[in-house]
Amino acid sequence: MELTKEVWMESDDRAYTRREHFRVTVARLVHTKETPSAHPPEKKAGAIRRAFGGGR
């Protein structure tokens, strides 16, 4: 497919044409999988806490 858009630039006092090309593909969905929900990363103990056994 081709998508064409023309825009008038007042600063240059002229028109610009923008063309984009893309391909459309049709397929059949065979298998789906639920996306797992996002969780915040676990907090890690600092180097000093680990040195004194607080990071267990």
Side-chain angles (χ1 to χ4, degrees):
M1 291 192 75
E2 181 179 293
L3 180 65
T4 305
K5 182 178 182 182
E6 192 165 323
V7 180
W8 185 267
M9 299 295 289
E10 290 185 21
S11 59
D12 295 339
D13 199 31
R14 63 184 237 185
Y16 287 96
T17 302
R18 178 177 173 181
R19 285 192 179 134
E20 297 177 0
H21 295 85
F22 58 94
R23 183 183 305 199
V24 177
T25 304
V26 179
R28 183 172 56 121
L29 181 62
V30 177
H31 179 70
T32 65
K33 183 178 179 182
E34 290 282 331
T35 305
S37 26
H39 298 287
E42 295 181 15
K43 293 184 179 181
K44 296 182 180 179
I48 296 176
R49 285 190 180 174
R50 283 194 307 266
F52 291 103
R56 296 181 194 190

